[in-house]
């Protein structure tokens, strides 16, 4: 402390440098906390260094601030001071870009370490956002460049030479967008969404094209982090996006494409309802005279079409395929060619079998590209290989068969090159072709599996002594990334090999899942290598992909030993085991590996592990689950209580705030689905421990939780009510089920209403006349759901559909306790169902039962019943044929 306050600025600077070196050795240890009180002195020295142009000292201080970011002792005042200094450095045009980039990293890291504290400092947050938007506005670079900046073809088309400052260095735009992206991902959405959106909308209405560029670019940048609230506001936001797509300024149009692509990627499936507006706009932008606009338009098509239904793409399919094919043949811009091929692949996936007429022509174009051998064109070759795999999925085995051998040969030949990127494309192709061709892919297994094993066993990192100084925080990585360990060594990672290894695991999973018994001879080596080099891998993307692939290893054994299906009985753990000894051993081995991954500190890995466990136990039944049930349920309970390793990291660096500051953790949906899966397999065996889970589940149903949490919690209660018998849940009706249902039916969110309506119905079904005294309350609560405007969107329509189904279940459970004279007119008015076709069986079972009984109140509404039956049996109706036949018979009987 004395040296930092010394009269000599030179001594102060040496003290800062010594402090930085000392802190670098303890940055990951609790001892870092003892340096927090030195912060005022450090900041004082920094401001003097800024004034004197001493960049070395400023750079050292930024390293110190980065190391201090996760200190538990930081006060809100110190946080503000650190952010203020970082903003001053970031905004200084006189500092080197690398130092400004370090300042951006400090802001982003503080947001990550102290998200709630950061977000609640409103004045500070607004100042940061103003700076970031101003940087995007004033920076001359493309605000959509982040999309393609790592692509050599893009750089070539723009005339940027590899290794130059323009190629490798950060820019004002990249620093601002990187920081804004981190804020959107890390800060609670209730604090970050509104200030970002208000700035975006205000700038989009400006007459200054630079401001409009910043507004639409900012919207695209936050689309990932703020996806949930963005989905809820698409109706207000999309008109602005559509308007910028027709802007007179090329950079604004380019950013509009970038934004459309980001929203299309992260706001699924809600964005699909805008297909009739988005596709014509993108189609027009494909003709844009600006190369970057053409390329980003293709990106929008790729992102948007991936989940589009054939009906939505049909009106433009012919002109779209012809336009993309023409662009591919006429353009000499490699970046555009690559994006066009990706867009064609996505269009094929969307069109499904309707792409068949175009298969021959497009395949011929792809086969030419797949023959490219020039090194700089290998990525385009890989894109063509990827396109063939997607077209195979679209048109199916029979149509694709003539192209199968040639595509496989090209993919295998790519493995002989030194291009890791081309290897990755080949693995993706193997995955898709295995999915499509099934057992016809099996002859390739003996050649491919040893290669894939070798890839998984390859070491993608090397340890080297760390050098002094820091790299650029947000600068683009080429083929390596760095992770520093506690001993001053740096792990240099070949990120391209990491991605290829991920692709190899994906391919293994698809091969196992689709080639049947032919994969059985390879199971032993595959599960061994996946355990050693996947489950125990240091990087979360490899662990996550391993968790996704592991359940597929059980499928070939089920095909070999059980004819493709293990026939098991819910909750029956005392009867004969329906699994063979080999299947039991394999299922146990896979489940044990998934249990390890379920305890990881990465949320996505944990979510995929939960999905994997659910997949295995639902495939092979309770005899596989029983030996590990205690451990699996213990892990689920810990996750519901938010005390698992992957959740404790969220709370380790700042004090707790109000509950409603929390955002929905998407991986928790997989956790809840797993508990529902356990209930499906174990049934009433779950009853003894249900009392331990109910309070934790209902915490997610509180009004203070995000709507996604509430919907998830109510949905889980519905699954439990559906899978357990009435006697197993009746003791929890008054304390948990009923209060949650009543609150859910009054919830402002339509998805919560939907799940609450379903829960009310399945509880009535399960509990019967045990709860008939509560029918008046339930019917009064569910009544307003029938008034939801079902034309608003699919979620609103599904809420009404589930209300109809819920009341139908109540009628079937206790017909004498439902005032049919009042209820039936409301119920019939909402039929046929508009969105949730899975409830057709329930609804029409109830209706047909009342018709058969010649129920008087139904007879009084006979004209309405005839209308419903007529519409439900029409050619355009989405009612299943089996149900339609019964409805036709009823209609004929009424005529």
């Amino acid at each position: 402390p004395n040296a930092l306050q010394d009269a000599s600025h030179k001594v102060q600077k040496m003290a800062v440098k010594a402090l930085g070196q000392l802190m670098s050795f303890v940055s990951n240890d609790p001892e870092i906390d003892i340096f927090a009180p030195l912060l005022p002195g450090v900041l004082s020295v920094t401001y003097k260094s800024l004034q004197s142009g001493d960049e070395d000292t400023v750079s050292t201080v930024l390293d110190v601030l980065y190391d201090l970011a996760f200190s538990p002792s930081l006060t809100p005042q110190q946080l503000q001071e650190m952010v203020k200094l970082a903003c001053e450095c970031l905004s200084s045009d006189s500092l080197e870009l690398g130092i400004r980039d370090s300042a951006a990293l400090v802001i982003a890291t503080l947001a990550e370490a102290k998200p709630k504290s950061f977000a609640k400092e409103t004045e500070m947050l607004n100042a940061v956002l103003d700076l970031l938007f101003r940087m995007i506005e004033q920076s001359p670079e493309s605000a959509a460049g982040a999309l393609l900046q790592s692509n050599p073809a893009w750089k070539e088309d723009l005339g940027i030479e590899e290794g130059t400052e323009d190629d490798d260095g950060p820019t004002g735009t990249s620093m601002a967008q990187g920081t804004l992206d981190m804020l959107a991902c890390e800060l609670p959405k209730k604090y970050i969404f509104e200030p970002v959106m208000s700035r975006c909308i205000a700038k989009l209405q400006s007459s200054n094209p630079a401001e409009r560029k910043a507004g639409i670019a900012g919207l695209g940048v936050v689309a990932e982090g703020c996806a949930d609230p963005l989905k809820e506001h698409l109706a207000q936001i999309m008109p602005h996006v559509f308007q910028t797509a027709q802007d007179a300024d090329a950079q604004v149009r380019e950013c509009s494409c970038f934004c459309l692509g980001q929203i299309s990627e992260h706001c699924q499936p809600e964005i699909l309802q805008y297909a009739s507006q988005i596709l014509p706009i993108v189609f027009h932008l494909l003709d844009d005279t600006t190369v970057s606009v053409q390329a980003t338009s293709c990106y929008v098509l790729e992102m948007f079409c991936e989940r589009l239904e054939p009906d939505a793409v049909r009106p433009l399919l012919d002109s779209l395929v012809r336009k993309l094919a023409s662009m591919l043949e006429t353009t000499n811009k490699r970046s555009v060619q690559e994006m066009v091929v990706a867009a064609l692949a996505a269009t094929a996936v969307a069109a499904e079998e309707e792409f068949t007429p175009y298969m021959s022509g497009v395949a011929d174009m792809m086969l030419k590209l797949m023959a490219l051998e020039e090194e700089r064109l290998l990525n385009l070759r890989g894109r063509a290989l990827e396109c063939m795999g997607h077209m195979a999925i679209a048109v199916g085995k029979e149509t694709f068969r003539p192209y199968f051998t040639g595509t496989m040969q090209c993919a295998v030949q790519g493995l002989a090159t030194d291009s890791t990127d081309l290897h990755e494309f080949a693995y993706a192709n193997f995955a898709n072709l295995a999915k499509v061709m099934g057992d016809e892919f099996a002859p390739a297994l003996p050649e491919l599996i040893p290669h894939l094993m070798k890839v998984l066993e390859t070491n993608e990192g090397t340890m080297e002594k760390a050098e002094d100084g820091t790299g650029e925080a947000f600068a683009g990585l080429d083929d390596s990334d760095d992770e520093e360990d506690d001993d001053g060594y740096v792990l240099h990672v070949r990120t391209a090999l990491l991605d290829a290894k991920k692709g190899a695991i994906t391919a293994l999973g698809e091969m196992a899942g689709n080639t049947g018994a032919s994969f059985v001879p390879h199971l032993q080596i595959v599960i061994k290598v996946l355990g050693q080099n996947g489950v125990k891998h240091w990087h979360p993307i490899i662990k996550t992909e391993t968790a996704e692939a592991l359940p597929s290893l059980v499928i070939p054994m089920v095909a070999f030993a059980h004819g493709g299906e293990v026939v098991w009985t819910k909750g029956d753990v005392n009867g004969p085991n329906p699994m063979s000894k080999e299947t039991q051993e394999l299922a146990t081995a896979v489940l044990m590996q998934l249990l390890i991954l379920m305890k990881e500190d990465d949320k996505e890995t944990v979510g995929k592990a939960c999905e994997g466990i659910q997949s295995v136990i639902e495939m092979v039944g309770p005899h596989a689950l029983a030996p590990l049930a205690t451990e699996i349920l213990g892990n689920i309970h810990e996750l519901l209580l938010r005390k698992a390793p992957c959740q404790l990291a969220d709370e380790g660096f700042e004090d707790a705030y109000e509950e409603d500051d929390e955002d929905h953790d998407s991986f928790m949906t997989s956790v809840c689905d797993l508990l529902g899966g356990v209930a499906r397999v174990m049934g009433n065996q779950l009853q003894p421990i249900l009392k331990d889970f109910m309070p934790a589940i209902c915490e997610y149903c509180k009004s203070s939780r995000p709507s996604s949490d509430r919907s998830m919690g109510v949905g889980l209660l519905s699954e439990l009510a559906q899978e357990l018998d009435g006697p197993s849940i009746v003791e929890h009706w008054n304390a948990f089920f009923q209060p949650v249902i009543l609150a859910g039916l009054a919830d402002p969110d339509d998805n919560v209403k939907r799940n609450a309506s379903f829960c009310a119905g399945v509880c009535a079904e399960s509990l019967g006349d045990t709860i008939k005294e509560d029918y008046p309350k339930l019917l009064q609560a569910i009544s307003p759901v029938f008034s939801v405007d079902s034309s608003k969107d699919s979620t609103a329509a599904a809420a009404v559909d589930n209300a109809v189904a819920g009341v139908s279940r109540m009628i079937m459970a206790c017909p004498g306790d439902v005032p049919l004279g009042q209820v039936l007119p409301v119920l019939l008015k909402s039929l046929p169902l508009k969105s949730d076709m899975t409830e057709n069986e329930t609804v029409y079972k109830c209706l047909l039962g009342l018709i058969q009984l010649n129920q008087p109140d139904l007879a009084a509404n006979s004209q309405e019943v005839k209308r419903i039956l007529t519409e439900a049996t029409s050619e355009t109706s989405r009612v299943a044929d089996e149900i339609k036949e019964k409805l036709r018979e009823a209609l004929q009987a009424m005529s």
Side-chain angles (χ1 to χ4, degrees):
N2 293 334
L4 289 171
Q5 298 169 9
D6 196 275
S8 168
H9 185 50
K10 186 175 181 180
V11 173
Q12 293 175 347
K13 290 194 297 181
M14 293 303 295
V16 167
K17 183 167 287 189
L19 179 62
Q21 291 176 339
L22 179 60
M23 288 178 66
S24 68
F25 284 100
V26 295
S27 59
N28 294 323
D29 298 329
E31 286 81 2
I32 190 69
D33 207 32
I34 65 175
F35 294 102
L38 301 179
L39 185 61
V42 171
L43 295 176
S44 175
V45 175
T46 311
Y47 281 113
K48 292 178 184 176
S49 300
L50 272 173
Q51 292 173 0
S52 64
D54 181 4
E55 292 190 342
D56 287 344
T57 301
V58 173
S59 179
T60 300
V61 168
L62 291 172
D63 292 344
V64 169
L65 298 188
Y66 173 81
D67 288 335
L68 276 175
F70 286 95
S71 168
S73 302
L74 280 186
T75 66
Q77 181 62 35
Q78 290 174 321
L79 173 67
Q80 290 181 53
E81 291 170 355
M82 291 169 73
V83 171
K84 181 181 177 183
L85 174 64
C87 284
E88 189 155 338
C89 295
L90 180 57
S91 62
S92 174
D93 292 332
S94 62
L95 288 176
E96 286 185 0
L97 284 172
I99 296 175
R100 295 174 64 190
D101 203 36
S102 296
L105 179 60
V106 169
I107 297 171
T109 306
L110 286 168
E112 179 187 9
K114 314 279 184 183
K116 297 170 188 174
S117 303
F118 196 113
K120 290 206 166 188
E121 298 297 336
T122 306
E123 188 175 340
M124 179 188 79
L125 176 59
N126 284 327
V128 172
L129 291 175
D130 286 339
L131 170 60
L132 299 179
F133 275 93
R134 189 164 62 249
M135 288 175 66
I136 298 173
E137 183 181 327
Q138 295 175 354
S139 182
E141 305 91 21
S142 163
L147 175 68
L148 301 163
Q149 66 181 0
S150 61
N151 186 344
W154 179 251
K155 296 171 184 175
E156 179 184 299
D157 292 340
L158 292 181
I160 299 173
E161 295 182 13
E162 294 278 350
T164 63
E165 185 176 344
D166 286 339
D167 173 30
D168 293 328
T171 65
T173 294
S174 68
M175 292 185 289
Q177 288 185 317
T179 309
L180 182 59
D181 179 45
M182 187 67 109
L183 295 181
C185 289
E186 299 295 337
L187 302 188
K189 304 307 168 266
K190 65 176 287 187
Y191 296 109
I192 186 66
F193 182 70
E194 192 284 326
V196 169
M197 284 303 109
S198 62
R199 282 166 174 79
C200 290
I201 300 300
K203 290 183 179 298
L204 287 172
Q205 296 170 340
S206 170
S207 59
N208 181 352
E211 288 193 30
R212 297 198 299 276
K213 177 191 79 168
I216 194 65
L219 185 57
V221 168
V222 302
E224 179 182 6
C226 293
D228 285 341
L230 198 57
K231 291 175 184 178
E232 298 173 9
H233 292 82
L234 285 177
Q236 294 79 41
I237 290 167
M238 292 311 294
H240 294 286
V241 180
F242 295 147
Q243 187 175 351
T244 56
Q246 302 169 58
D247 200 279
D249 186 88
Q251 280 202 336
V252 176
R253 295 196 304 276
E254 179 190 359
C255 288
S256 181
C257 291
F258 164 68
C259 180
L260 268 174
Q262 290 289 98
I263 292 176
S264 296
E265 181 176 0
H266 299 294
C267 293
Q268 296 280 0
E270 287 80 358
I271 189 62
L272 297 180
Q273 63 187 300
Y274 294 94
S276 61
Q277 293 162 277
I278 290 177
L279 288 176
I281 287 174
V282 176
F283 189 81
H284 175 73
L285 289 170
L286 290 173
D287 282 327
D288 202 281
T289 55
T290 307
V291 172
S292 58
V293 175
Q294 287 183 353
T296 45
S297 300
C298 294
Y299 161 68
V300 177
L301 278 177
E302 180 186 5
M303 293 298 105
F304 188 73
C305 289
E306 279 185 346
R307 289 179 60 180
L308 210 57
E309 295 294 326
D311 288 350
V313 77
R314 184 179 298 125
L316 280 172
L317 180 58
D318 186 71
S319 51
L320 188 56
V321 174
R322 293 181 187 279
K323 166 60 68 177
L324 290 171
S326 173
M327 288 177 67
L328 187 58
E329 289 179 331
T330 58
T331 184
N332 60 356
K333 300 296 184 182
R334 191 154 51 99
S335 60
V336 176
Q337 289 175 326
E338 291 180 11
M339 299 297 276
V340 165
V341 173
L344 275 168
T347 303
V349 171
E352 297 180 1
E353 290 183 354
E354 294 184 27
F355 195 80
T356 301
Y358 309 99
M359 181 66 203
S360 176
V362 177
D364 287 345
M365 298 174 73
M366 294 304 113
L367 289 170
K368 291 177 184 176
L369 297 178
M370 285 158 57
L372 295 171
E373 294 186 357
E374 190 176 344
E375 185 177 351
R376 70 183 191 90
L377 299 176
L378 290 182
N379 205 57
L380 180 56
R381 171 176 165 177
R383 285 288 189 182
L385 198 56
E386 177 185 59
C387 185
M388 290 296 282
H390 282 87
M391 289 194 296
I393 291 174
V395 301
K397 180 190 290 189
E398 297 303 321
T399 303
F400 188 76
R401 186 176 286 114
Y403 308 98
F404 175 47
T405 302
T407 304
M408 283 293 293
Q409 287 175 347
C410 177
V412 171
Q413 288 167 3
L415 300 181
T417 70
D418 293 330
S419 171
T420 312
D421 288 340
L422 189 54
H423 294 184
E424 187 182 350
F425 281 119
Y427 303 149
N429 185 264
F430 296 147
N432 285 328
L433 295 191
K435 194 184 301 183
V436 173
M437 304 307 295
D439 55 358
E440 292 183 31
F441 190 93
L445 295 178
E447 178 182 0
L448 293 180
I449 288 178
H451 170 86
L452 296 173
M453 295 299 96
K454 186 177 179 181
V455 172
L456 294 185
E457 291 172 334
T458 302
N459 184 0
E460 70 281 345
T462 56
M463 298 296 294
E464 295 180 15
K465 190 71 176 175
E467 298 178 0
D468 290 337
T470 59
E472 295 154 351
F474 289 103
L477 297 169
D478 49 13
D479 188 26
S480 64
D481 201 353
D482 297 334
E483 297 277 342
E484 189 168 349
D485 75 354
D486 296 340
D487 299 317
Y489 282 83
V490 172
L491 175 64
H492 290 283
V493 181
R494 294 168 60 197
T495 52
L497 182 54
L498 202 62
D499 291 335
K501 188 172 286 192
K502 175 178 178 287
I505 296 171
T506 304
L508 281 170
E510 293 296 345
M511 290 176 192
N514 292 282
T515 56
S518 301
F519 199 89
V520 170
H522 309 284
L523 281 173
Q524 187 173 1
I525 182 64
V526 170
I527 197 167
K528 178 183 176 183
V529 174
L530 273 181
Q532 292 174 345
N533 299 280
V535 175
K536 296 179 182 178
H537 198 275
W538 61 275
H539 201 288
I541 71 164
I542 300 300
K543 292 181 178 180
T544 300
E545 202 63 35
T546 301
E548 192 155 11
L550 278 169
S552 298
L553 300 185
V554 182
I555 296 174
M557 186 60 76
V558 170
F560 174 75
H562 306 277
E565 181 183 9
V566 176
V567 180
W568 52 268
T569 303
K570 181 194 291 188
D572 181 11
V573 293
N574 298 316
N577 188 342
M579 292 183 289
S580 69
K581 178 175 177 287
E582 292 78 14
T583 307
Q584 175 78 61
E585 290 175 352
L586 178 62
T588 301
V590 168
L591 286 172
M592 289 180 69
Q593 296 287 0
L594 289 167
L595 268 168
I596 294 171
L597 293 171
M598 197 178 173
K599 297 173 185 174
E600 281 293 328
D601 57 9
D602 174 68
K603 290 179 179 179
E604 188 176 358
T605 301
V606 173
K608 288 297 181 185
C610 289
E611 292 172 21
I613 292 172
Q614 181 183 353
S615 175
V616 172
I617 63 175
E618 290 183 354
M619 191 190 317
V620 295
H623 280 270
L625 171 59
L628 301 169
T630 300
E631 189 174 358
I632 290 171
L633 287 166
N635 288 349
I636 294 173
H637 192 243
E638 191 175 56
L639 285 158
L640 288 170
L641 294 174
R642 288 176 282 175
K643 293 182 178 180
C646 65
Q647 295 160 311
L648 294 178
D650 293 342
E651 302 172 5
F653 303 106
E654 66 178 335
D655 296 332
Y657 279 82
E658 291 88 344
E659 191 178 54
D660 63 354
D661 287 341
E662 301 290 340
D663 290 322
H664 172 68
D665 259 328
S666 58
F667 88 103
M668 284 302 297
T669 301
S670 301
V671 176
C672 291
D673 286 347
L674 173 57
L675 183 54
V678 171
R680 227 170 344 271
V681 174
M682 298 301 288
N684 294 321
Q685 299 278 352
L686 203 60
Q687 188 270 335
I689 54 94
L690 203 57
K691 63 182 185 299
D692 300 323
F693 282 83
M694 294 302 292
I697 295 168
C698 290
E699 281 292 312
Y700 289 87
C701 304
K702 286 184 174 180
S703 60
S704 57
R705 300 296 305 171
S707 60
S708 298
D709 273 6
R710 302 196 301 274
S711 175
M712 176 184 75
V714 179
L716 177 53
L717 289 180
S718 303
E719 287 191 78
L720 295 175
Q722 200 171 26
E723 299 300 338
L724 276 68
D725 294 341
S728 295
I729 64 169
V730 66
E731 64 179 291
H732 305 294
W733 169 252
N734 286 319
F736 297 109
F737 282 97
Q738 184 177 209
V740 166
I741 289 169
L742 294 175
L745 291 171
D747 198 279
D749 184 83
D750 288 338
N751 212 33
V752 180
K753 287 190 182 84
R754 171 188 185 173
N755 286 354
S757 298
F758 180 74
C759 193
V762 294
C763 283
E765 201 170 45
S766 181
L767 294 166
D769 59 9
T770 310
I771 63 167
K772 64 182 182 181
E773 288 84 3
D774 296 313
Y775 266 36
K777 278 188 290 186
L778 291 172
L779 289 168
Q780 185 178 4
I782 206 170
S783 177
V785 183
F786 285 88
S787 300
V788 171
D789 181 7
S790 59
S791 65
K792 183 172 61 175
D793 54 42
S794 60
T795 304
V800 177
D801 289 348
N802 277 264
V804 173
V807 172
S808 297
R809 286 185 169 94
M810 293 174 71
I811 292 171
M812 289 188 287
C814 297
D817 295 286
V818 177
L820 293 175
Q822 301 172 43
V823 168
L824 282 177
V826 178
L827 187 146
L828 295 173
K829 188 179 178 182
S830 300
L831 288 174
L833 301 183
K834 310 293 189 301
S835 176
D836 190 351
M837 297 299 118
T838 62
E839 292 292 9
N840 275 328
E841 184 176 355
T842 295
V843 170
Y844 291 119
K845 179 182 178 183
C846 175
L847 185 59
L848 290 170
L850 293 174
I851 293 173
Q852 190 172 9
L853 291 171
N854 199 22
Q855 206 282 329
D857 295 303
L858 187 72
N861 291 276
S862 60
Q863 291 304 312
E864 188 72 345
V865 173
K866 288 179 181 178
R867 175 193 65 79
I868 294 165
L869 296 179
T870 302
E871 291 180 19
T873 54
S874 68
E875 287 187 11
T876 57
S877 168
R878 290 190 285 163
V879 175
D881 290 340
E882 186 179 341
I883 299 174
K884 273 186 181 180
E885 189 56 39
K886 295 178 181 178
L887 298 181
R888 286 193 187 99
E889 292 174 4
L891 183 58
Q892 288 172 0
M894 291 180 70
S895 301

